[in-house]
Amino acid sequence: MQTYNKGFARVYNMRWGDFANNVAPLIRLFYESTPIGQTNKTLLDVCCGVGHLALHFLEHGYRVTGLDLSPEMLVYARERTQVYMDQGKVTFVEGNAANFTLDATFGLVTSTFDALNHLPTLDDLQGCFRSVAAVLEADGWFVFDLNTRHGLERWGGMTLQETDTLSLSTRGVIVEELGRAYTHISGFFRREDGF
């Protein structure tokens, strides 16, 4: 799985946690304002990545299950939440958001940072919604975000980021005739010997 490999997981862990850290409190406060959110403290985080959002909910007394396709991303999620794993409060499952089954139900299901845009087909997106519906409590909430076609049109262009440890190039590509947008990410980590 080239896209979500060890290098990508490392960059994601280093650079892209701010979105989850910013939206997690907002989602939690919304959920806790609902009738189910006052008593049911269970969360399924679909496409959980490296566990930033999961950690916020764990710190606020939730039982959390994280689901992600990338075993490399889950390594970071487990490291980030190790103390809660030791207490049996969090489980991470390697699985495909397009088609999954779990033995538990949840008051809250999330999928953030446009993760559902990574599902390649409409059938996959519908499969995700069916899978979520099967594990969501009757009065529960599925909170997710998606980029629309209009939002994806802003992806064109290139950004460069450089730190002491990383050089990263991110290029958005729009393929109008296919109705698709891609992000091409290239980068280099500085080795411990300085090269």
Side-chain angles (χ1 to χ4, degrees):
M1 178 191 317
Q2 176 92 9
T3 305
Y4 308 106
N5 62 20
K6 187 175 182 179
F8 178 83
R10 183 175 173 195
V11 170
Y12 194 103
N13 189 55
M14 290 171 63
R15 305 289 299 169
W16 295 318
D18 287 348
F19 186 85
N21 292 334
N22 290 331
V23 300
L26 302 174
I27 294 170
R28 182 180 55 78
L29 290 173
F30 161 76
Y31 176 67
E32 290 175 358
S33 74
T34 68
I36 189 172
Q38 305 203 8
T39 58
N40 185 318
K41 303 292 189 224
T42 57
L43 167 70
L44 169 62
D45 189 14
V46 176
C47 304
C48 66
V50 297
H52 287 104
L53 189 129
L55 180 61
H56 174 83
F57 279 86
L58 288 163
E59 291 171 342
H60 288 85
Y62 284 70
R63 288 195 163 278
V64 175
T65 299
L67 176 92
D68 204 280
L69 187 60
S70 169
E72 289 84 1
M73 298 281 265
L74 293 176
V75 167
Y76 288 103
R78 289 182 180 106
E79 288 175 2
R80 176 165 279 104
T81 61
Q82 186 63 55
V83 67
Y84 296 99
M85 289 187 69
D86 294 344
Q87 297 170 10
K89 295 181 179 179
V90 62
T91 303
F92 290 102
V93 177
E94 184 181 335
N96 189 339
N99 183 18
F100 64 88
T101 57
L102 297 169
D103 292 332
T105 58
F106 304 88
L108 176 62
V109 179
T110 58
S111 187
T112 61
F113 206 24
D114 311 315
L116 296 184
N117 281 100
H118 293 238
L119 296 174
T121 68
L122 181 57
D123 286 342
D124 290 333
L125 184 60
Q126 291 171 336
C128 178
F129 291 154
R130 281 191 297 274
S131 297
V132 167
V135 299
L136 189 62
E137 293 285 345
D139 54 348
W141 290 88
F142 182 23
V143 178
F144 63 93
D145 59 1
L146 281 168
N147 264 313
T148 63
R149 179 179 297 271
H150 177 72
L152 293 173
E153 288 170 356
R154 296 178 300 150
W155 279 23
M158 178 180 244
T159 61
L160 299 171
Q161 301 171 13
E162 191 163 338
T163 68
D164 291 342
T165 58
L166 174 69
S167 292
L168 188 67
S169 164
T170 307
R171 182 171 54 97
V173 179
I174 307 295
V175 185
E176 288 290 339
E177 60 272 13
L178 297 177
R180 298 231 181 237
Y182 301 93
T183 301
H184 182 77
I185 301 168
S186 301
F188 300 93
F189 292 106
R190 185 173 306 279
R191 296 187 324 205
E192 289 184 17
D193 64 6
F195 292 100

